[in-house]
Amino acid sequence: MQTPISKFDAISQQTIEIREPVLADGAPMHRIAENSRVLDTNSSYAYLLWCRDFAATSMVAEIDGELAGFVTGYTRPARPHTLFVWQVAVDHPHRGHGLGVRMLDALVESCAAQGVTQLETTISPDNPASVAMFASLARRRLATLTRTPLFTADQFPGGHQPEDLYRIAPLTTQEEWR
Ligand SMILES: CC(C)(COP(=O)(O)OP(=O)(O)OC[C@H]1O[C@@H](n2cnc3c(N)ncnc32)[C@H](O)[C@@H]1OP(=O)(O)O)[C@@H](O)C(=O)NCCC(=O)NCCS
């Protein structure tokens, strides 16, 4: 497991820790997803499984000991150099302070050190916050963001926006920038 990033924020007077998830994070991740009212909430079982099996490609943020956000991801089985980011959520009181992009940045840094060279995610057209966050991540990583259609609305049962595929590449560690 990687070393957690702990930081005391002198302005907000809060201790922020960004780290890989552990089993105890599953329930609060499920709660944050449900409270987002935007994400497709997975079962509580799915978040537990994610914490057990995909911790190395996921991140959580803790503020003063409380879970404030999470990123779930996996490396694509047929393309192990590609990190697919499934869900990103920041609990309402903590939004707009750079937490989402910082969790993603920490995840990319960790995965790039393991050989990941590109990130994929899908975003529906009605989610400008998510587009802005991934655009911000691409700028931070000095990489290019591209968009192509992936899932159409009629591929989802029960009504759902289409999901466009966003790719960020190339990804390298900050060490390689020097
Ligand atoms: C999307 C989400 C994770 C962003 O988290 P956050 O911590 O508030 O985002 P950040 O503060 O890190 O912002 C990152 C960038 O996105 C921009 N951004 C964030 N929210 C925005 C919004 N509502 N509208 C426009 N831009 C927004 C910020 O200005 C920042 O850009 P900058 O770096 O150029 O200044 C959060 O809004 C959320 O949990 N939404 C519900 C779940 C969701 O939609 N997840 C994404 C799809 S899986």
Side-chain angles (χ1 to χ4, degrees), residues 15-62:
T15 303
I16 300 168
E17 183 180 330
I18 295 176
R19 57 167 173 78
E20 290 177 10
V22 294
L23 277 184
D25 297 318
M29 285 164 74
H30 178 258
R31 175 185 54 77
I32 290 171
E34 201 162 51
N35 287 348
S36 78
R37 295 188 291 273
V38 174
L39 296 177
D40 292 338
T41 309
N42 299 299
S43 66
S44 51
Y45 183 89
Y47 291 97
L48 281 172
L49 207 55
W50 220 265
C51 293
R52 178 181 187 262
D53 286 344
F54 299 99
T57 48
S58 303
M59 281 289 161
V60 295
E62 222 177 62

Side-chain angles (χ1 to χ4, degrees), residues 7-163:
K7 185 180 159 215
F8 182 71
D9 187 323
I11 296 168
S12 64
Q13 302 279 299
Q14 292 171 319
T15 303
I16 300 168
E17 183 180 330
I18 295 176
R19 57 167 173 78
E20 290 177 10
V22 294
L23 277 184
D25 297 318
M29 285 164 74
H30 178 258
R31 175 185 54 77
I32 290 171
E34 201 162 51
N35 287 348
S36 78
R37 295 188 291 273
V38 174
L39 296 177
D40 292 338
T41 309
N42 299 299
S43 66
S44 51
Y45 183 89
Y47 291 97
L48 281 172
L49 207 55
W50 220 265
C51 293
R52 178 181 187 262
D53 286 344
F54 299 99
T57 48
S58 303
M59 281 289 161
V60 295
E62 222 177 62
I63 297 184
D64 290 342
E66 292 260 326
L67 209 75
F70 70 84
V71 180
T72 50
Y74 62 89
T75 49
R76 292 184 63 195
R79 296 180 186 219
H81 299 298
T82 298
L83 169 70
F84 186 87
V85 171
W86 188 358
Q87 290 190 321
V88 187
V90 171
D91 217 0
H92 293 277
H94 303 294
R95 289 188 188 170
H97 300 291
L99 204 57
V101 77
R102 279 176 54 193
M103 288 189 291
L104 285 168
D105 203 35
L107 180 60
V108 165
E109 186 64 21
S110 162
C111 290
Q114 310 299 319
V116 161
T117 55
Q118 77 169 353
L119 178 152
E120 290 184 350
T121 196
T122 71
I123 308 176
S124 55
D126 63 350
N127 197 338
S130 188
V131 175
M133 180 178 61
F134 281 98
S136 175
L137 176 71
R139 285 195 303 276
R140 283 170 86 118
R141 303 308 301 194
L142 310 175
T144 303
L145 178 73
T146 56
R147 173 172 64 97
T148 48
L150 183 64
F151 302 133
T152 56
D154 60 8
Q155 289 176 313
F156 293 95
H160 194 291
Q161 289 277 309
E163 291 277 345

